Amino acid sequence: SSSDFGPLFSAFVVDVSQRLQHTVHAQSEYFGLPQELYILIRGLVTHNNCLHRSGSVWGVDFVLSDTSLLEPPASFALTYVELTTLKREAFLKLVEKHKGTCPELKRRVRHFCCWLAFQRALLREAKLRQSRQRVQRGLSPGDDVMLQQRSQAKKKRSSWMFPSMTSTTSGDCGDYIAPLAESIPLEAVGEHNSQEPQVTHEDSTSSRRVGL
């Protein structure tokens, strides 16, 4: 909140709002630049496999100096859109301008940059290791999609057979039973459910005796 930065933080907010630039894009137009913040005012936009509506914000990684850690900036306008943008250079200049009157501001911005850079670097390293494993195993990207679909199908099947044991609130027991449920062939479950109970002659006779 603004109270954490002191009363002079409002002056920084005013300067940032004055540096925002208004842009418009026509329908079916591609746009987007790296190290730039986007705030959607009107319209529909798809960015990084996400649908953005009025009030959406993306490009929060514009503060990072390493462009390899940024998300793809390309965006697609589904309708006529109006946006406000803020460039990295303008934002950092304002942070330097107000560091004397609001020193906590620069510390918070630096902390956010370090934490976000750590997250993006960790994700990038994980993707690199996954690609190396695919090469070693001789798998293609299509094979990974197929394996992921099989894993999701197993989870759905186990939740159908043992719903109370595969829920997130099941505890350690559910974590132990879920792999066992996934290993049960679906054919065996179908055969078990298809078998109807057989009533013998003795059972029917005893039922008539008790008046059932």
PDB file of all heavy atoms in Angstrom, residues 12 16 19 37 62-63 86-97 105 109 112-113:
ATOM      1  N   PHE A  12       5.109   9.970  -6.914  1.00  0.00           N
ATOM      2  CA  PHE A  12       5.621   8.993  -7.877  1.00  0.00           C
ATOM      3  C   PHE A  12       4.496   8.420  -8.722  1.00  0.00           C
ATOM      4  O   PHE A  12       4.646   8.241  -9.945  1.00  0.00           O
ATOM      5  CB  PHE A  12       6.359   7.879  -7.131  1.00  0.00           C
ATOM      6  CG  PHE A  12       6.741   6.718  -7.995  1.00  0.00           C
ATOM      7  CD1 PHE A  12       7.813   6.808  -8.873  1.00  0.00           C
ATOM      8  CD2 PHE A  12       6.037   5.522  -7.935  1.00  0.00           C
ATOM      9  CE1 PHE A  12       8.171   5.735  -9.672  1.00  0.00           C
ATOM     10  CE2 PHE A  12       6.387   4.451  -8.728  1.00  0.00           C
ATOM     11  CZ  PHE A  12       7.459   4.562  -9.603  1.00  0.00           C
ATOM     12  N   VAL A  16       4.125   8.568 -12.833  1.00  0.00           N
ATOM     13  CA  VAL A  16       3.942   7.367 -13.654  1.00  0.00           C
ATOM     14  C   VAL A  16       2.704   7.502 -14.535  1.00  0.00           C
ATOM     15  O   VAL A  16       2.733   7.159 -15.725  1.00  0.00           O
ATOM     16  CB  VAL A  16       3.849   6.112 -12.763  1.00  0.00           C
ATOM     17  CG1 VAL A  16       3.419   4.900 -13.588  1.00  0.00           C
ATOM     18  CG2 VAL A  16       5.185   5.822 -12.100  1.00  0.00           C
ATOM     19  N   ARG A  19       3.370   9.555 -17.537  1.00  0.00           N
ATOM     20  CA  ARG A  19       4.235   8.926 -18.542  1.00  0.00           C
ATOM     21  C   ARG A  19       3.538   7.827 -19.337  1.00  0.00           C
ATOM     22  O   ARG A  19       4.107   7.327 -20.313  1.00  0.00           O
ATOM     23  CB  ARG A  19       5.485   8.345 -17.860  1.00  0.00           C
ATOM     24  CG  ARG A  19       6.431   9.400 -17.303  1.00  0.00           C
ATOM     25  CD  ARG A  19       7.018  10.251 -18.416  1.00  0.00           C
ATOM     26  NE  ARG A  19       7.975  11.226 -17.914  1.00  0.00           N
ATOM     27  CZ  ARG A  19       9.283  11.001 -17.836  1.00  0.00           C
ATOM     28  NH1 ARG A  19       9.776   9.841 -18.235  1.00  0.00           N
ATOM     29  NH2 ARG A  19      10.082  11.923 -17.360  1.00  0.00           N
ATOM     30  N   LEU A  37       5.171  -2.308 -20.596  1.00  0.00           N
ATOM     31  CA  LEU A  37       3.998  -2.691 -19.820  1.00  0.00           C
ATOM     32  C   LEU A  37       2.734  -2.306 -20.579  1.00  0.00           C
ATOM     33  O   LEU A  37       2.657  -1.211 -21.153  1.00  0.00           O
ATOM     34  CB  LEU A  37       4.023  -1.996 -18.454  1.00  0.00           C
ATOM     35  CG  LEU A  37       2.839  -2.268 -17.525  1.00  0.00           C
ATOM     36  CD1 LEU A  37       2.868  -3.698 -17.021  1.00  0.00           C
ATOM     37  CD2 LEU A  37       2.859  -1.285 -16.350  1.00  0.00           C
ATOM     38  N   PHE A  62       8.632  -6.156 -17.652  1.00  0.00           N
ATOM     39  CA  PHE A  62       9.334  -5.126 -18.415  1.00  0.00           C
ATOM     40  C   PHE A  62      10.476  -4.513 -17.620  1.00  0.00           C
ATOM     41  O   PHE A  62      11.335  -3.838 -18.178  1.00  0.00           O
ATOM     42  CB  PHE A  62       8.350  -4.038 -18.849  1.00  0.00           C
ATOM     43  CG  PHE A  62       7.954  -3.082 -17.761  1.00  0.00           C
ATOM     44  CD1 PHE A  62       8.243  -1.726 -17.865  1.00  0.00           C
ATOM     45  CD2 PHE A  62       7.277  -3.530 -16.623  1.00  0.00           C
ATOM     46  CE1 PHE A  62       7.879  -0.833 -16.870  1.00  0.00           C
ATOM     47  CE2 PHE A  62       6.908  -2.641 -15.636  1.00  0.00           C
ATOM     48  CZ  PHE A  62       7.206  -1.293 -15.749  1.00  0.00           C
ATOM     49  N   VAL A  63      10.521  -4.746 -16.312  1.00  0.00           N
ATOM     50  CA  VAL A  63      11.586  -4.191 -15.479  1.00  0.00           C
ATOM     51  C   VAL A  63      12.874  -5.001 -15.575  1.00  0.00           C
ATOM     52  O   VAL A  63      13.933  -4.532 -15.144  1.00  0.00           O
ATOM     53  CB  VAL A  63      11.133  -4.107 -14.013  1.00  0.00           C
ATOM     54  CG1 VAL A  63      10.012  -3.093 -13.856  1.00  0.00           C
ATOM     55  CG2 VAL A  63      10.683  -5.470 -13.512  1.00  0.00           C
ATOM     56  N   LEU A  86       3.725   1.625 -20.893  1.00  0.00           N
ATOM     57  CA  LEU A  86       4.795   2.280 -20.148  1.00  0.00           C
ATOM     58  C   LEU A  86       6.098   1.558 -20.464  1.00  0.00           C
ATOM     59  O   LEU A  86       6.188   0.340 -20.286  1.00  0.00           O
ATOM     60  CB  LEU A  86       4.521   2.241 -18.644  1.00  0.00           C
ATOM     61  CG  LEU A  86       5.593   2.863 -17.745  1.00  0.00           C
ATOM     62  CD1 LEU A  86       5.702   4.365 -18.024  1.00  0.00           C
ATOM     63  CD2 LEU A  86       5.277   2.608 -16.275  1.00  0.00           C
ATOM     64  N   LYS A  87       7.089   2.282 -20.905  1.00  0.00           N
ATOM     65  CA  LYS A  87       8.376   1.710 -21.263  1.00  0.00           C
ATOM     66  C   LYS A  87       9.276   1.586 -20.024  1.00  0.00           C
ATOM     67  O   LYS A  87       9.134   2.332 -19.046  1.00  0.00           O
ATOM     68  CB  LYS A  87       9.068   2.555 -22.332  1.00  0.00           C
ATOM     69  CG  LYS A  87       8.320   2.578 -23.658  1.00  0.00           C
ATOM     70  CD  LYS A  87       9.108   3.324 -24.710  1.00  0.00           C
ATOM     71  CE  LYS A  87       8.369   3.324 -26.043  1.00  0.00           C
ATOM     72  NZ  LYS A  87       8.214   1.948 -26.573  1.00  0.00           N
ATOM     73  N   ARG A  88      10.210   0.650 -20.114  1.00  0.00           N
ATOM     74  CA  ARG A  88      11.099   0.376 -18.987  1.00  0.00           C
ATOM     75  C   ARG A  88      11.977   1.577 -18.651  1.00  0.00           C
ATOM     76  O   ARG A  88      12.171   1.901 -17.472  1.00  0.00           O
ATOM     77  CB  ARG A  88      11.967  -0.842 -19.316  1.00  0.00           C
ATOM     78  CG  ARG A  88      12.989  -1.194 -18.240  1.00  0.00           C
ATOM     79  CD  ARG A  88      13.753  -2.445 -18.602  1.00  0.00           C
ATOM     80  NE  ARG A  88      14.700  -2.818 -17.562  1.00  0.00           N
ATOM     81  CZ  ARG A  88      15.949  -2.394 -17.520  1.00  0.00           C
ATOM     82  NH1 ARG A  88      16.417  -1.578 -18.474  1.00  0.00           N
ATOM     83  NH2 ARG A  88      16.755  -2.768 -16.541  1.00  0.00           N
ATOM     84  N   GLU A  89      12.515   2.235 -19.659  1.00  0.00           N
ATOM     85  CA  GLU A  89      13.411   3.359 -19.413  1.00  0.00           C
ATOM     86  C   GLU A  89      12.697   4.482 -18.664  1.00  0.00           C
ATOM     87  O   GLU A  89      13.248   5.075 -17.724  1.00  0.00           O
ATOM     88  CB  GLU A  89      13.975   3.884 -20.730  1.00  0.00           C
ATOM     89  CG  GLU A  89      14.881   2.917 -21.463  1.00  0.00           C
ATOM     90  CD  GLU A  89      14.108   1.856 -22.222  1.00  0.00           C
ATOM     91  OE1 GLU A  89      12.862   1.961 -22.259  1.00  0.00           O
ATOM     92  OE2 GLU A  89      14.751   0.922 -22.752  1.00  0.00           O
ATOM     93  N   ALA A  90      11.465   4.778 -19.057  1.00  0.00           N
ATOM     94  CA  ALA A  90      10.717   5.842 -18.395  1.00  0.00           C
ATOM     95  C   ALA A  90      10.416   5.488 -16.942  1.00  0.00           C
ATOM     96  O   ALA A  90      10.508   6.346 -16.047  1.00  0.00           O
ATOM     97  CB  ALA A  90       9.423   6.108 -19.152  1.00  0.00           C
ATOM     98  N   PHE A  91      10.079   4.210 -16.701  1.00  0.00           N
ATOM     99  CA  PHE A  91       9.761   3.793 -15.332  1.00  0.00           C
ATOM    100  C   PHE A  91      10.990   3.874 -14.431  1.00  0.00           C
ATOM    101  O   PHE A  91      10.914   4.382 -13.298  1.00  0.00           O
ATOM    102  CB  PHE A  91       9.199   2.378 -15.350  1.00  0.00           C
ATOM    103  CG  PHE A  91       8.896   1.828 -13.991  1.00  0.00           C
ATOM    104  CD1 PHE A  91       7.757   2.231 -13.304  1.00  0.00           C
ATOM    105  CD2 PHE A  91       9.743   0.909 -13.392  1.00  0.00           C
ATOM    106  CE1 PHE A  91       7.481   1.733 -12.039  1.00  0.00           C
ATOM    107  CE2 PHE A  91       9.470   0.407 -12.132  1.00  0.00           C
ATOM    108  CZ  PHE A  91       8.335   0.815 -11.454  1.00  0.00           C
ATOM    109  N   LEU A  92      12.130   3.392 -14.907  1.00  0.00           N
ATOM    110  CA  LEU A  92      13.339   3.407 -14.076  1.00  0.00           C
ATOM    111  C   LEU A  92      13.829   4.829 -13.831  1.00  0.00           C
ATOM    112  O   LEU A  92      14.397   5.120 -12.760  1.00  0.00           O
ATOM    113  CB  LEU A  92      14.431   2.570 -14.742  1.00  0.00           C
ATOM    114  CG  LEU A  92      14.135   1.065 -14.852  1.00  0.00           C
ATOM    115  CD1 LEU A  92      15.310   0.344 -15.486  1.00  0.00           C
ATOM    116  CD2 LEU A  92      13.806   0.470 -13.479  1.00  0.00           C
ATOM    117  N   LYS A  93      13.634   5.711 -14.782  1.00  0.00           N
ATOM    118  CA  LYS A  93      14.007   7.107 -14.556  1.00  0.00           C
ATOM    119  C   LYS A  93      13.178   7.722 -13.431  1.00  0.00           C
ATOM    120  O   LYS A  93      13.697   8.495 -12.608  1.00  0.00           O
ATOM    121  CB  LYS A  93      13.838   7.902 -15.847  1.00  0.00           C
ATOM    122  CG  LYS A  93      14.909   7.630 -16.892  1.00  0.00           C
ATOM    123  CD  LYS A  93      14.680   8.476 -18.139  1.00  0.00           C
ATOM    124  CE  LYS A  93      15.761   8.207 -19.182  1.00  0.00           C
ATOM    125  NZ  LYS A  93      15.543   9.022 -20.424  1.00  0.00           N
ATOM    126  N   LEU A  94      11.912   7.375 -13.378  1.00  0.00           N
ATOM    127  CA  LEU A  94      11.071   7.885 -12.308  1.00  0.00           C
ATOM    128  C   LEU A  94      11.461   7.297 -10.954  1.00  0.00           C
ATOM    129  O   LEU A  94      11.389   7.987  -9.923  1.00  0.00           O
ATOM    130  CB  LEU A  94       9.600   7.585 -12.610  1.00  0.00           C
ATOM    131  CG  LEU A  94       9.006   8.300 -13.821  1.00  0.00           C
ATOM    132  CD1 LEU A  94       7.561   7.870 -14.036  1.00  0.00           C
ATOM    133  CD2 LEU A  94       9.096   9.808 -13.651  1.00  0.00           C
ATOM    134  N   VAL A  95      11.875   6.040 -10.946  1.00  0.00           N
ATOM    135  CA  VAL A  95      12.334   5.433  -9.695  1.00  0.00           C
ATOM    136  C   VAL A  95      13.584   6.142  -9.190  1.00  0.00           C
ATOM    137  O   VAL A  95      13.720   6.429  -7.989  1.00  0.00           O
ATOM    138  CB  VAL A  95      12.588   3.924  -9.894  1.00  0.00           C
ATOM    139  CG1 VAL A  95      13.235   3.321  -8.651  1.00  0.00           C
ATOM    140  CG2 VAL A  95      11.290   3.197 -10.210  1.00  0.00           C
ATOM    141  N   GLU A  96      14.515   6.440 -10.081  1.00  0.00           N
ATOM    142  CA  GLU A  96      15.721   7.168  -9.695  1.00  0.00           C
ATOM    143  C   GLU A  96      15.391   8.596  -9.250  1.00  0.00           C
ATOM    144  O   GLU A  96      16.035   9.143  -8.343  1.00  0.00           O
ATOM    145  CB  GLU A  96      16.701   7.201 -10.865  1.00  0.00           C
ATOM    146  CG  GLU A  96      17.325   5.865 -11.187  1.00  0.00           C
ATOM    147  CD  GLU A  96      18.265   5.378 -10.088  1.00  0.00           C
ATOM    148  OE1 GLU A  96      18.847   6.249  -9.402  1.00  0.00           O
ATOM    149  OE2 GLU A  96      18.400   4.160  -9.910  1.00  0.00           O
ATOM    150  N   LYS A  97      14.411   9.177  -9.867  1.00  0.00           N
ATOM    151  CA  LYS A  97      14.036  10.546  -9.516  1.00  0.00           C
ATOM    152  C   LYS A  97      13.491  10.644  -8.107  1.00  0.00           C
ATOM    153  O   LYS A  97      13.762  11.621  -7.378  1.00  0.00           O
ATOM    154  CB  LYS A  97      12.994  11.063 -10.531  1.00  0.00           C
ATOM    155  CG  LYS A  97      12.460  12.441 -10.211  1.00  0.00           C
ATOM    156  CD  LYS A  97      11.391  12.853 -11.215  1.00  0.00           C
ATOM    157  CE  LYS A  97      10.779  14.205 -10.841  1.00  0.00           C
ATOM    158  NZ  LYS A  97       9.716  14.611 -11.803  1.00  0.00           N
ATOM    159  N   LEU A 105      10.942   2.821  -2.126  1.00  0.00           N
ATOM    160  CA  LEU A 105      10.446   2.493  -3.459  1.00  0.00           C
ATOM    161  C   LEU A 105      11.494   1.749  -4.270  1.00  0.00           C
ATOM    162  O   LEU A 105      11.214   0.703  -4.872  1.00  0.00           O
ATOM    163  CB  LEU A 105      10.017   3.767  -4.173  1.00  0.00           C
ATOM    164  CG  LEU A 105       9.627   3.630  -5.651  1.00  0.00           C
ATOM    165  CD1 LEU A 105       8.392   2.767  -5.796  1.00  0.00           C
ATOM    166  CD2 LEU A 105       9.405   5.002  -6.273  1.00  0.00           C
ATOM    167  N   VAL A 109      11.376  -2.162  -5.722  1.00  0.00           N
ATOM    168  CA  VAL A 109      11.494  -2.455  -7.151  1.00  0.00           C
ATOM    169  C   VAL A 109      12.650  -3.416  -7.396  1.00  0.00           C
ATOM    170  O   VAL A 109      12.536  -4.366  -8.186  1.00  0.00           O
ATOM    171  CB  VAL A 109      11.671  -1.157  -7.959  1.00  0.00           C
ATOM    172  CG1 VAL A 109      11.987  -1.473  -9.417  1.00  0.00           C
ATOM    173  CG2 VAL A 109      10.418  -0.304  -7.874  1.00  0.00           C
ATOM    174  N   PHE A 112      11.632  -6.913  -6.325  1.00  0.00           N
ATOM    175  CA  PHE A 112      10.733  -7.532  -7.310  1.00  0.00           C
ATOM    176  C   PHE A 112      11.512  -8.018  -8.531  1.00  0.00           C
ATOM    177  O   PHE A 112      11.251  -9.109  -9.052  1.00  0.00           O
ATOM    178  CB  PHE A 112       9.665  -6.529  -7.734  1.00  0.00           C
ATOM    179  CG  PHE A 112       8.776  -7.025  -8.838  1.00  0.00           C
ATOM    180  CD1 PHE A 112       7.757  -7.931  -8.585  1.00  0.00           C
ATOM    181  CD2 PHE A 112       8.964  -6.597 -10.149  1.00  0.00           C
ATOM    182  CE1 PHE A 112       6.938  -8.381  -9.609  1.00  0.00           C
ATOM    183  CE2 PHE A 112       8.151  -7.047 -11.177  1.00  0.00           C
ATOM    184  CZ  PHE A 112       7.138  -7.948 -10.902  1.00  0.00           C
ATOM    185  N   CYS A 113      12.472  -7.225  -8.993  1.00  0.00           N
ATOM    186  CA  CYS A 113      13.269  -7.618 -10.159  1.00  0.00           C
ATOM    187  C   CYS A 113      14.080  -8.885  -9.870  1.00  0.00           C
ATOM    188  O   CYS A 113      14.128  -9.804 -10.698  1.00  0.00           O
ATOM    189  CB  CYS A 113      14.205  -6.485 -10.570  1.00  0.00           C
ATOM    190  SG  CYS A 113      13.369  -5.021 -11.206  1.00  0.00           S
TER     191      CYS A 113
END
